[in-house]
Amino acid sequence: MTKQDWKPGTMVYPLPAVMVSCGSTPDEHNIITISWTGTICTNPAMCYISVRPERHSYDIIKRNMEFVINITTEQLAYATDWCGVKSGKNVNKFKEMKLTAGKASVVKAPIIEESPLSIECRVKEILPLGSHHMFIADVVNVKADERYIDTETGRFQLDKAGIMAYSHGFYYALAEKIGRFGWSVKKK
Ligand SMILES: Cc1cc2nc3c(=O)[nH]c(=O)nc-3n(C[C@H](O)[C@H](O)[C@H](O)COP(=O)(O)O)c2cc1C
């Protein structure tokens, strides 16, 4: 196999493309699409988002030290892209995309009602890294759409929501389940 050496770049894909909602009053509410995001600790549950300081959302999140990560779906793909190219400086993204700002349980930032899963986060630390600053946050509550909770097992079935991923400039539907955690070592 012949491999090429490329200069350092951001090549960890696929990633989620989440809609992060922020702001503590309707005037301040905004949505920013974020792919530089992930889980960084299980216990305590912690997440991060990395945001360029020039984004309108950056100051809002820094001011409130809170945000909500809303998982996106195929249905939300258009809004996800739109909220990732338009700035809240000039438009009301909730209004333009006909998204509903719902009440979170713990943080003041709104959840996006149309998202199947909203992760309420409180910022613990801001790490200035370079182009992006990393908001390291505690997960303080998770709001899950009951439509995707199996009434018999109680399991949350995010796959039923039509989840999607982002890879190198394109959005993909994640349609097919191909294995289960641990199946590679399970005795037959
Ligand atoms: C798929 C996708 C992923 C993005 N990921 C990030 C990201 O991780 N960090 C970031 O600062 N901007 C990211 N952006 C760009 C912002 O979403 C975009 O600049 C947006 O218009 C900022 O909105 P605001 O000015 O209202 O905050 C992404 C955009 C798209 C479409």
Side-chain angles (χ1 to χ4, degrees), residues 17 30-36 50-52 55-57 81 83-88 93 132 166 171:
N30 194 33
I31 302 169
I32 176 172
T33 299
I34 293 281
S35 270
W36 297 169
S50 280
V51 185
R52 284 186 185 261
R55 308 288 189 232
H56 182 62
S57 306
D81 189 63
C83 292
V85 289
K86 296 278 185 184
S87 178
K93 298 191 196 181
H132 291 66
Y166 175 71
Y171 305 98

Side-chain angles (χ1 to χ4, degrees), residues 113-141:
E113 290 285 5
E114 289 76 8
S115 165
L117 198 66
S118 299
I119 303 161
E120 300 180 34
C121 298
R122 185 164 287 146
V123 180
K124 218 173 173 179
E125 209 181 319
I126 305 172
L127 277 183
L129 299 173
S131 62
H132 291 66
H133 293 190
M134 186 181 194
F135 289 88
I136 295 178
D138 282 319
V139 174
V140 290
N141 189 56

Side-chain angles (χ1 to χ4, degrees), residues 31 78-79 82-83 86-88 90-100:
I31 302 169
Y78 183 91
W82 201 87
C83 292
K86 296 278 185 184
S87 178
N90 317 308
V91 289
N92 180 332
K93 298 191 196 181
F94 275 100
K95 197 168 153 244
E96 295 298 324
M97 287 293 101
K98 297 191 169 56
L99 294 170
T100 318

